[in-house]
Amino acid sequence: MQWTGLNELREKYLHFFETKDHLRLGSFPLVPKDDPSLLLINSGMAPMKKWFLGQEEPPRHRVTTCQKCIRTPDIERVGITARHGTFFEMLGNFSFQDYFKEEVIPWAWEFLTKDLEIPAEKLYISVYLDDDEAYDIWTKKIGIPEDHMVRFGKEDNFWEHGSGPCGPCSEIYFDRGPECGCGKPTCGVGCDCDRYMEIWNLVFSQFDSDGNGHYERLAKPNIDTGMGLERLACVMQGVGNLFEVDTVAAVLHHVEHIAGKTYKQNEKDDISIRVITDHIRSTVFMVSDGILPSNEGRGYVLRRLLRRAARHGRMLGIDHPFLTELVDTVIKSSEQGYPELREHENYIKKVIGTEEERFGRTIDTGLAILNNMIDKVQTEQIKSEGKLVLSGSDVFKLNDTFGFPLDLTKEIASEAGVEVDEDAFHVEMNKQRERARSERMAKDISGWSADLFGELTAEPTRFDGYDTLRENATVVALSDGDELVDAIATDAAGESKSGVLVVLDHTPFYAEMGGQVADHGMITSGGAKLKVTQVKKTPKGYFVHTCELLDGTIRTGDPVTAAVDEARRMAICRNHTATHLLQKALREVLGEHVHQAGSYQDEKITHFDFTHFSAVSGEELAAVERRVNEKIFASMPVVIQNLPIEEAKKMGAMALFGEKYGSVVRVVDAGGWSTEFCGGTHVKNTAQIGCFKILSESSVAAGIRRIEATTGFGVLRLLDERTDVLARAAAVLKANNLKDVADRAESTVAELKETGKELDALKAQMAAAKVDGLFDKATDVDGVRIISAYLTGTGADTLREMIDKVRDKAPNAVTVLVGSDGSKTMMAVGVSANAKARGLKAGVLVKKIAAIAGGNGGGKPDFAMAGIRDTSKIDEALNAVPEIVKGELDL
């Protein structure tokens, strides 16, 4: 048994099973495809469920993979121990109704003992309690001594997850030696200590469970094996845990270097070093697969991991953003198995760096708020069961608003002798999850299609819509939305019936997918007429047409004519092809970091979401728009081919970020300028797009921008709308023609400005005249001149000017003026310098005087304003001024 690097182990395993006629597949992306039950891929078989369940034909019935996986149920334990991690690689070999126990058990033994030369005496085997078949293969065919065999019950050696395929499993353990054990006489396979390490699990899917304890033997069973690559590396490298494996240790040593710390010298530092090491590996792979930080779903997992790593960096004394420095080491240690990491290097660094900087800004705000919360608890002695406790709802708000982690809150609170009401916190978190779940359910309208048509055994619907928009077909299945039916008819009154679901054997209708909306059109059969308003594709490949039955009766087995709305399809094609040109133009203008983050095309507009970390300037948008239109006017042919994926990549075809493709891909090439993988519908020549116009650019999420645009008749509609607006503006401005509107508007604005200046000057003259008259009615209170008046037709600005003039003329005055401009009534109070020196404050006076008239306000010591609600009491308020002033004077 020789020391072997992790990357070499991966290659050895995959090559071994290639020699056993397995198809080697690359790792599937971490984002599950067509599987809403999973947030992130967490096992080797997870991306292949549809092949195990028989929903799709696999590319071969023998497959081997090394699958990147993320598991986060124990995220709080990561770092605390060296056992836990969030990112790992799972080696696997799979049989889809091909070989079974007789083959897989000897192969597993051959690989471990022959290829890796692991001593046989170091390996122990467990089997399911009743699985004599596996036991006999291990003991009689392989020759495993009985003292190296154990039988376990259902909890340990039977793989089952609800209803569906399931079966017993056999696990292979490596004995790390008594020095790693607990020393108990009972220590053996299955003990909780670290001596016997499970390295490989062979699952024999030979039953079909109904979920209620009843099992039917499968006619053609499956094999699903899983071996943690890092665990295998631990064995082959003679190390204690995953953080000491060569590729992981390289990252850990880089963390030591940045922090100026040495691992295994301080337990608290070790926890932080392990957290950063694990989390940066997870986040690099997640970002590479197109996941972006957000406040929900897998984006929230990414954000949480990044922020947890950044916080532990601070705890190590790292006082600057550092995570992007570690990206280089992660890529260098893993690019042999995952070359896409190097391809996405700049993008990964940009996403991680931006999130770390954002957290650096918010954590300080969050700390200040948390410290205030703790101070309040300590000051007010907020207790529960005799302990100082932070409110769970307050902690949740801190987490939800500032992304402040619960574990950090608990840690800081604990240092202050304060606990957190975690139960209340989790109540709020669950409420949030339910809200998010409800929103997802409200958006997901395709669930019925899988449920209602999941039991069909007919061939999947053949899509012919790339080549024709009208064809004859046959009704395979019908539903009224609740259940499958044989026929649906309009009622006796001839009223149309909505929500009719129709599955055809083949169809020209494009099903909603890839951001492109579904086709609309008509399905007719004899006297039956159905208006198609939506089309979705089920996991088993059936195109479900949502229709309104306008007339007649439709039956299963009926021959029909399916006809797509040609004008609408063409408009969608224009927008979709324009989206491809837009992406290419954005990459040329903004940079190669631009990647598609989502798109939407219907007959009116296209939305294109893309990765970019600042607003796109007006000049950049103009350049993008001009470039797209240049390619439209160049009349470039749009060529669509189905090509082997490697040939497509050599052409430079762009793939959807984080997407997993088969061996053959559909490539859309616009004149050799824009080349992308795409399953949508397109024009045959860019000239058919007509014209392209950007309507808006905005932010839709952190690091994600959206451009909305239109083409063809959409541009003509936009021109008509804007021409109409200009025509109306010309009429109002009395411009002779449309091209004079701007000049006429400028001159009108200039005239208004000049009139405004004249009006301001006139108001100033009037205010000055009024001020002179105010002094005639002034009264004296202990040497302070009281000037007060109610001036109708006078707004707030004029009141302010008048008070400024009084202050200039009378340094010992208090001025109280009430004005009304027809819409509201305001009170202004001014206190001159000498009066202010005697303790009078405008803010105090205005509150007391205005209160008499039902008003309230405030301001500075020399000037304040208040609104007046009860105008009938204005005189009463003004008459009270001398007494109020006298009461506030320092005598």
Side-chain angles (χ1 to χ4, degrees), residues 456 458-462 464 471-478 501-508 523-525 530 542-543 545 554-562:
L456 289 183
E459 289 295 311
T461 305
R462 187 184 78 216
D464 298 328
E471 66 177 336
N472 296 325
T474 302
V475 177
V476 171
L478 288 171
L501 308 179
V502 182
V503 175
L504 303 178
D505 58 345
H506 50 274
T507 183
I523 295 174
T524 55
S525 176
L530 300 101
Y542 298 117
F543 280 51
H545 306 73
I554 187 75
R555 300 175 181 83
T556 302
D558 277 357
V560 300
T561 299

Side-chain angles (χ1 to χ4, degrees), residues 224-242:
D224 162 23
T225 85
M227 176 159 59
L229 178 57
E230 290 86 356
R231 285 197 179 193
L232 180 62
C234 285
V235 170
M236 298 304 298
Q237 295 176 19
V239 297
N241 59 69
L242 73 94

Side-chain angles (χ1 to χ4, degrees), residues 612-629:
H612 190 57
F613 299 90
S614 61
V616 185
S617 70
E619 292 79 6
E620 290 168 332
L621 285 174
V624 168
E625 185 176 276
R626 183 171 58 254
R627 201 155 301 191
V628 173
N629 280 310

Side-chain angles (χ1 to χ4, degrees), residues 19 73 147 213 298 352 355 360 380 446 506 543 595 680 730 836 872 881:
T19 67
D147 62 355
R298 57 185 67 94
I352 290 177
E355 181 65 17
E380 299 179 10
S446 63
H506 50 274
F543 280 51
H595 285 282
K836 189 169 66 171
S872 68
V881 171

Side-chain angles (χ1 to χ4, degrees), residues 799-811:
L799 293 179
R800 184 186 292 273
E801 290 175 11
M802 292 175 72
I803 284 180
D804 287 343
K805 290 183 181 300
V806 171
R807 281 204 303 257
D808 292 340
K809 291 187 175 186

